Amino acid sequence: MGQRPPIIINRLDAERLQRLIDNATDKELAVATLLEEELSRGEVIDPQEIPDNVVSMNSQIRFTDLTRGRQMVRTLVYPHALSTVEDGISVMAPIGAGLIGLKVGDIIDWPLPNNSEVRLRIDAILWQPEREKQHHR
């Protein structure tokens, strides 16, 4: 796996994500472990300080799966919100966990459960709560 780009995480997101990690089921354990690694290496800052080019929770992003040559638009959500967000991808899903904290233009090599890897590139942030001054979303 290549070196991962630096990431920035909203302090409120980090607290909520840590609770998800702490309560992960056996099925979620592999993703929770990766997510915890990301949290530990990320720069955690207040929501008001998040740059508008950073993927935070509830951001709608356009990204490309460079491994498969597919571009997607998804909203990064907590697992409980999946049923209410049409284009949602859970932060506890293998690809969802790899998106948090990345900046537009970043490329990350991210492990998948089947012992393969996916290479993801952040192309655009179409909507971000912090940019819209929704700091507690």
Side-chain angles (χ1 to χ4, degrees), residues 8-10 13 47 50-63 72-78 81 85 87-91 96 99-104 122 124-132 134 137:
I8 299 172
I9 300 174
N10 168 335
D13 288 349
I50 293 287
D52 62 7
N53 67 338
V54 170
V55 177
S56 62
M57 290 305 301
N58 299 301
S59 292
Q60 185 183 52
I61 56 177
R62 184 173 61 235
F63 64 97
M72 294 168 264
V73 173
R74 297 285 184 269
T75 299
L76 187 63
V77 298
Y78 296 100
V85 178
D87 67 350
I89 184 170
S90 172
V91 71
L99 298 172
I100 190 76
L102 295 176
K103 293 181 280 318
V104 172
I122 305 300
I125 297 177
L126 306 175
W127 191 87
Q128 182 207 57
E130 293 83 358
R131 186 167 60 208
E132 302 300 321
Q134 295 183 22
R137 184 176 162 115

Side-chain angles (χ1 to χ4, degrees), residues 37-121:
E37 287 173 13
E38 291 299 274
L39 285 181
S40 68
R41 74 180 193 84
E43 177 186 357
V44 178
I45 62 176
D46 289 332
Q48 299 85 338
E49 297 174 15
I50 293 287
D52 62 7
N53 67 338
V54 170
V55 177
S56 62
M57 290 305 301
N58 299 301
S59 292
Q60 185 183 52
I61 56 177
R62 184 173 61 235
F63 64 97
T64 301
D65 174 341
L66 297 169
T67 307
R68 293 173 187 84
R70 289 182 34 207
Q71 191 173 72
M72 294 168 264
V73 173
R74 297 285 184 269
T75 299
L76 187 63
V77 298
Y78 296 100
H80 70 270
L82 270 177
S83 62
T84 60
V85 178
E86 191 174 314
D87 67 350
I89 184 170
S90 172
V91 71
M92 291 299 283
I95 288 179
L99 298 172
I100 190 76
L102 295 176
K103 293 181 280 318
V104 172
D106 280 351
I107 295 174
I108 190 168
D109 294 317
W110 193 253
L112 296 177
N114 61 1
N115 291 323
S116 67
E117 261 187 17
V118 65
R119 177 169 264 212
L120 305 172
R121 180 185 66 219

